[in-house]
Structure formats: C-alpha cells, structure tokens
Amino acid sequence: MRVLVVEDDLRPHGGQERCLLECTEELAARGHEIDLLYRASGESFAEYSRFCRDMHRIPGHLLDGRVPVRSIVRWIRSTSIAVRDSYDIVYINQHQDSPFGAAVAILKRIPLVCHLHLPPPAGRGVQWTLARPKIARYIAVSHHTRAQYLARGVAPARIQVVHNGIDLDRYREPDSTQRAAFRRSLGIPPGAFVVLYAGRLDPEKGVEILIDAFNLLGLAPEKGRLLIVGAPRLHRDVGAAQAYVASLRARCRADTSVWLDWQMNTVPLYGAADVAVLPSLVSETLGRTTIEAMACRRPALASRVGATSEVLFGSFERFLFPPDNPEALAAALMAMRDWREREPELGSACRDHVRT
C-alpha cells in the first residue's frame, strides 16, 4: 500500500510520537510506501527520512477557533498539498487530526484510519461530529480507551484494541559498562538509588507527586537521585510552560535531582535507573514508558488510573499506587530500593511480562 501519514510535530514529546515513528518504520520494512505530512520539524526528521518515500511540510492542519481565518487558510493550503498524489489509505495518530484526514480521504476516495492514543475530546464540537463518520477504523491502544470512545458513540465494530508493541531488540538492558558510563556522565554516584520519570512535563502527568514522594525518602546525594527527563507540551504559551518547569525544579532538592531534555534514545535512561515511575493524575490511555522500562529489566511503578492496570496486572499489580498520594508512592519506592538483592529474578520477570 501507499500510506499517507499525518503528524503535527516531529519533536519526540512522548510515547504517542514514538509509537507513530515505530509503526510507520515497520510498515515500510514490510514493503509499504510511507508519505509523511508534518507541520513542525524536529529530532525525528532524520529517522523518518530513512524510510519515508516522500516527506512534505505543511503550514498547518488543525482548525483553531482562536484564529479561525488564519487556520482555515493554512488548512486549505495543507489539504491542497495532501491531495497532489495518489494513496491507498490515510493514517492519523490522534482524533484532533480527523477533520483534516477526513477531508483528504473524501477527496481521494480512500479509507481513513485513526490511531487513538488520547482520550476523547472534552466537547462534542462540530469538527469531531462531522469527521467521525468518515473514519473507517479506529485503533485503540487499550480496552480502557476503547470503552471511552464507545461511550462517545463510536460503533463497536469500527474500533479494535491493539496494545502498543515494544521491540525487544531495541529495548533491552544496557550492559554494566554502559550503565556505569552513563551514570557517570550524569554525575550519579555508583551506589545511588535512581528513580526515573520520562515523559511530558505537564500538570496532568503528576510529576509534583513524584518529586514530593522522592523528597519524603530523605536520601542523601550519594544514596539517591531523581532523574527527570522530558519537556513541557500542553501549556497556554511558552511563558506558562517555562514557569511550570521552574516550579517543578524549585520543588526538587538540587543536590539529589538530575534534569534532562527529552531524549530520542531512552534505553540508556532505563539502564541508568533502578525503577521508573509514571505518576499520572488523569486517565492514562496505556502508559508506554512503563512497558519500555520493563522491557529493559526495570520495575515500573504507576498510578492506578486509566489503562495502567492493563499493563501492570497479575503479580505486577503490586506496582500500582493510588494517584495524588506522595506518601503511598514514597512507601512503594522505599520497598523497591533493594529489589536486586531481595528479588534477583525481578528484572527478567519484567521483561518476560512484556514479551507475553
């Protein structure tokens, strides 16, 4: 097939962007031709350029009620670029792109598929209402996400669940030499207990809860470090984003925290860490970083929200903690400090859990 893929931003903000990159790369490896439309370039451009047949930058494909005339002009220009060539299918990575995807699909008379990584829109806007019947198939990343969209009126036959896959050849534990070298590069003492958060720096992700929980551990700098990796995304403007990150930094102890911008290759991060945490306050559609960490033989704690129980079930249900509860998270972290001595088989069990 020849697949037209729509992506807003080629910067690696989190799991949603990583999933699209890996899915399209695998489609190309199976012999399909990938054409990519994108609005903003970023670090993923080089990776897409390795396997995409064509890549076109567009002025914008999201209709914005705050600047209606400008966004409509951009939308029309982007649509004219999209319909220049022939395709077999349109593939979008979020429901917000459905008005644009539906227009292209109608004009080219081809199916539209929407991959659902986000909850349904808060309101029943005109764009959502008009575009929804044009989507031939939805792919939900969890049963929880599917249930949310069914409740909003999507027909059961049009939406199926495919949990995010993890390439175990890519996500694997670095060897001890690589682990030690990366920790040294971050100034982390050899024996320190390292807790990792990797993801968006937005209020709903609950990073404040993790910071407070880590502070409750009271670890000296040589005994523990909190490694926070990511960048803000969903804020009113740049100033609001910067102010929010500054508030998070002020909440941390400077001598026990390490901050990094989002990394294209997250495997060294999991290798450097002893445990990963997803402290979300709102409904997670899946929680990909939890799966990535476990593939790298690292236990992963997550707040019990949304679909996290679809990842952490069975014997791993003990890694779930109540949201917005730093005391409970601190207790869970304290219990994980000596997991290598107490449960030496846990790393392998985490990876086997992801494999199955």
Side-chain angles (χ1 to χ4, degrees):
M1 296 187 300
R2 190 169 180 186
V3 184
L4 179 64
V5 179
V6 181
E7 176 64 299
D8 181 60
D9 193 342
L10 298 189
R11 289 174 293 180
H13 295 285
Q16 179 182 352
E17 294 81 15
R18 171 57 64 180
C19 182
L20 180 64
L21 175 62
E22 293 181 358
C23 285
T24 50
E25 183 178 19
E26 183 65 19
L27 285 168
R30 295 184 179 198
H32 304 295
E33 295 182 339
I34 307 298
D35 285 32
L36 178 69
L37 298 180
Y38 65 96
R39 179 191 60 82
S41 189
E43 295 88 339
S44 298
F45 180 89
E47 293 196 53
Y48 275 110
S49 63
R50 288 190 295 102
F51 61 84
C52 284
R53 198 190 79 96
D54 277 323
M55 298 173 63
H56 300 285
R57 191 166 188 171
I58 55 178
H61 63 287
L62 299 175
L63 295 175
D64 189 343
R66 296 169 298 180
V67 286
V69 176
R70 188 184 309 169
S71 69
I72 289 173
V73 170
R74 289 195 298 250
W75 193 85
I76 293 172
R77 290 173 58 197
S78 298
T79 304
S80 66
I81 294 171
V83 299
R84 289 176 184 171
D85 218 329
S86 297
Y87 310 100
D88 298 300
I89 194 168
V90 183
Y91 173 34
I92 59 176
N93 202 40
Q94 56 181 0
H95 62 76
Q96 292 95 325
D97 298 341
S98 57
F100 178 77
V104 175
I106 291 170
L107 291 171
K108 302 302 293 183
R109 297 183 179 180
I110 55 177
L112 170 63
V113 172
C114 178
H115 208 151
L116 299 173
H117 301 270
L118 302 173
R124 296 179 180 271
V126 174
Q127 297 181 50
W128 166 256
T129 303
L130 293 177
R132 188 174 65 185
K134 308 303 179 184
I135 300 174
R137 182 62 58 90
Y138 293 89
I139 304 168
V141 297
S142 64
H143 293 286
H144 172 78
T145 304
R146 182 177 187 269
Q148 288 183 304
Y149 280 85
L150 291 179
R152 296 296 297 273
V154 175
R158 293 171 58 207
I159 180 169
Q160 68 185 87
V161 174
V162 182
H163 290 106
N164 283 340
I166 294 297
D167 183 349
L168 291 177
D169 289 331
R170 176 177 294 176
Y171 292 93
R172 57 189 314 116
E173 181 181 30
D175 62 38
S176 58
T177 301
Q178 293 170 321
R179 168 182 165 85
F182 190 67
R183 285 170 68 110
R184 281 196 305 271
S185 72
L186 299 177
I188 298 174
F193 175 60
V194 177
V195 177
L196 169 68
Y197 169 79
R200 292 187 287 112
L201 301 182
D202 296 332
E204 65 267 21
K205 302 304 274 186
V207 184
E208 296 94 335
I209 305 304
L210 174 57
I211 293 171
D212 291 348
F214 188 83
N215 289 341
L216 287 173
L217 299 181
L219 299 176
E222 67 274 11
K223 295 294 186 180
R225 295 295 171 91
L226 176 59
L227 177 55
I228 298 178
V229 183
R233 177 89 190 270
L234 304 178
H235 294 263
R236 183 178 66 256
D237 51 40
V238 174
Q242 292 174 340
Y244 178 69
V245 174
S247 73
L248 292 179
R249 285 179 173 267
R251 209 176 186 111
C252 285
R253 286 175 49 192
D255 59 350
T256 58
S257 60
V258 180
W259 292 76
L260 295 176
D261 200 354
W262 184 255
Q263 307 291 300
M264 284 295 295
N265 182 12
T266 55
V267 171
L269 302 173
Y270 300 120
D274 295 292
V275 60
V277 181
L278 180 63
S280 296
L281 299 175
V282 297
S283 180
E284 282 286 341
T285 53
L286 185 64
R288 178 189 164 103
T289 55
T290 303
I291 309 173
E292 292 179 359
M294 296 177 75
C296 295
R297 301 179 187 272
R298 294 296 180 268
L301 306 179
S303 53
R304 191 187 292 272
V305 292
T308 53
S309 59
E310 293 183 42
V311 177
L312 298 173
F313 57 88
S315 63
F316 294 98
E317 189 175 357
R318 61 191 169 114
F319 291 163
L320 294 169
F321 59 89
D324 201 10
N325 191 328
E327 292 78 14
L329 176 52
L333 288 172
M334 186 60 72
M336 297 306 300
R337 283 192 65 189
D338 62 346
W339 70 265
R340 287 184 175 82
E341 292 73 31
R342 185 168 41 85
E343 295 185 75
E345 75 289 348
L346 181 57
S348 295
C350 287
R351 186 169 171 84
D352 289 341
H353 182 66
V354 174
R355 178 181 291 112
T356 57

